[in-house]
Amino acid sequence: MGDTGRPGVSVMLSGLHRMFGPDLRAVVDAAKVAEDAGVEELVIGDHVVMGERTERYPYGPFAWPYEEFVTRTDDPQITPDEPWPETLTMLTAIAMATSTIRIGTGVLLTPLRPAVLLAKTVATIDQLSGGRVELGVGIGWQPEEYECQGLDWEDRWRLFDDGIRACRVLWRDVPATFHSGTVNFDRLYCVPQPAQDRVPIWYGAAARPATARRIAELGDGWFPLTITEPEDVAAGAQPIREAMEAAGRDPSSLGIRVPLIVRWNADGTLDGPATAAPVPALAEAGVTRLWVVVGPHIGLGTHADIARFLDTLQGALAA
């Protein structure tokens, strides 16, 4: 939640190669633009590799953006050969180029990374950023990403849970001991630890009982990728808060990040009032972050375009 009590803005940078070409430094420059615009959080998506079966994407067409967003590009489809820079490497570069914006993953496919290495990498980025990391986590939707690393797709949820539990222990204890079905170690020293006392973990998952249990045990936020209606947010958040309370945690601390549908005028300019209209009801439902995808689908071509778009959006939300 922003300092004003309104939900903060969370920006995902996606598809910038279509705007700026293959030079990844353009992504870092876009992150600096977002920080200058007062955006609260910047997130980067994650795929280690991409298979060809993109029609299996579970949230509709695999395209910029999701179906709920207005599409303003002649070619919104994401093809298997689109570049996906390694997420934690990109966050490291962004951490060093910025100073205030929160930086995170949306979402990181944690089972694809060994738990001990993941814990060390995230802790290092958190130290470099001065404690600004927010870890969005999920399992992904492609068996190919697991199979190419010798991981069992059918075992993905166990790998997911064990890995995050191991990270929490490694970030807390020196030395650390942990035993599970897939991750085991005794008296390991994984230093440096994060700069934050607790790295916020956001679960990118549907509103299911298992999601509520996971967040109550290990998480701090919920990131339902396609929920946009306040009543759906409230209904999904209620069992999570109940599970947090049953676990002895403060349910009011739950962060909720949902997509913000960007509305446009007939002349192609941002319709600020229409875009901002649902925000009070979303805030009442518990939303703390409004998620916007910035990329070629909204007609941007330069860093100056990104700056103007974000400045206009922030102004509309503050009105």
Side-chain angles (χ1 to χ4, degrees), residues 20 27 38 65 108 117 125 144 154 159 225 233 252 265-266 306 310:
F20 302 117
V27 179
L108 191 75
L117 179 59
I125 300 171
E144 294 91 337
E154 298 301 325
L159 293 167
L225 295 176
V233 173
S252 68
N265 295 309
I306 295 175
L310 291 177

Side-chain angles (χ1 to χ4, degrees), residues 192-277:
Q193 292 182 299
Q196 301 175 88
D197 291 336
R198 180 180 176 90
V199 174
I201 294 181
W202 294 71
Y203 277 73
R208 299 190 180 102
T211 301
R213 292 194 300 270
R214 289 183 170 100
I215 295 175
E217 178 190 355
L218 297 162
D220 305 277
W222 178 44
F223 181 20
L225 295 176
T226 59
I227 290 180
T228 59
E229 296 299 325
E231 58 269 26
D232 295 331
V233 173
Q238 184 59 31
I240 300 174
R241 293 195 177 98
E242 291 173 355
M244 291 178 72
E245 188 167 21
R249 299 183 59 196
D250 179 5
S252 68
S253 68
L254 176 67
I256 303 176
R257 179 202 294 148
V258 301
L260 175 67
I261 301 177
V262 178
R263 304 294 186 185
W264 305 93
N265 295 309
D267 63 359
T269 58
L270 178 72
D271 186 337
T275 299

Side-chain angles (χ1 to χ4, degrees), residues 80-99:
D81 60 348
E82 303 275 359
W84 290 88
E86 200 288 310
T87 306
L88 297 177
T89 306
M90 285 303 310
L91 285 189
T92 302
I94 291 169
M96 300 307 294
T98 59
S99 58

Side-chain angles (χ1 to χ4, degrees), residues 75-318:
D75 183 20
Q77 296 297 315
I78 302 175
T79 58
D81 60 348
E82 303 275 359
W84 290 88
E86 200 288 310
T87 306
L88 297 177
T89 306
M90 285 303 310
L91 285 189
T92 302
I94 291 169
M96 300 307 294
T98 59
S99 58
T100 59
I101 194 169
R102 305 287 293 177
I103 57 175
T105 55
V107 296
L108 191 75
L109 310 184
T110 57
L112 303 182
R113 294 159 171 89
V116 174
L117 179 59
L118 176 61
K120 173 61 71 70
T121 305
V122 171
T124 301
I125 300 171
D126 200 53
Q127 284 286 347
L128 288 171
S129 69
R132 291 185 282 133
V133 170
E134 304 208 359
L135 196 64
V137 299
I139 61 166
W141 51 275
Q142 294 189 105
E144 294 91 337
E145 291 193 273
Y146 288 74
E147 293 164 357
C148 70
Q149 296 196 55
L151 301 173
D152 185 353
W153 169 250
E154 298 301 325
D155 207 23
R156 62 194 182 277
W157 286 109
R158 188 166 70 134
L159 293 167
F160 180 59
D161 291 335
D162 289 353
I164 294 174
R165 289 185 181 114
C167 284
R168 283 291 191 210
V169 171
L170 288 162
W171 292 334
R172 183 192 66 207
D173 299 340
V174 180
T177 296
F178 179 80
H179 293 282
S180 71
T182 64
V183 182
N184 293 277
F185 51 81
D186 287 290
R187 295 190 59 80
L188 290 185
Y189 293 77
C190 190
V191 181
Q193 292 182 299
Q196 301 175 88
D197 291 336
R198 180 180 176 90
V199 174
I201 294 181
W202 294 71
Y203 277 73
R208 299 190 180 102
T211 301
R213 292 194 300 270
R214 289 183 170 100
I215 295 175
E217 178 190 355
L218 297 162
D220 305 277
W222 178 44
F223 181 20
L225 295 176
T226 59
I227 290 180
T228 59
E229 296 299 325
E231 58 269 26
D232 295 331
V233 173
Q238 184 59 31
I240 300 174
R241 293 195 177 98
E242 291 173 355
M244 291 178 72
E245 188 167 21
R249 299 183 59 196
D250 179 5
S252 68
S253 68
L254 176 67
I256 303 176
R257 179 202 294 148
V258 301
L260 175 67
I261 301 177
V262 178
R263 304 294 186 185
W264 305 93
N265 295 309
D267 63 359
T269 58
L270 178 72
D271 186 337
T275 299
V279 172
L282 289 169
E284 180 67 23
V287 171
T288 59
R289 296 266 175 83
L290 300 166
W291 179 62
V292 178
V293 181
V294 167
H297 61 281
I298 52 177
L300 306 179
T302 68
H303 288 97
D305 289 340
I306 295 175
R308 282 191 292 271
F309 169 75
L310 291 177
D311 285 341
T312 303
L313 178 66
Q314 293 275 69
L317 297 178

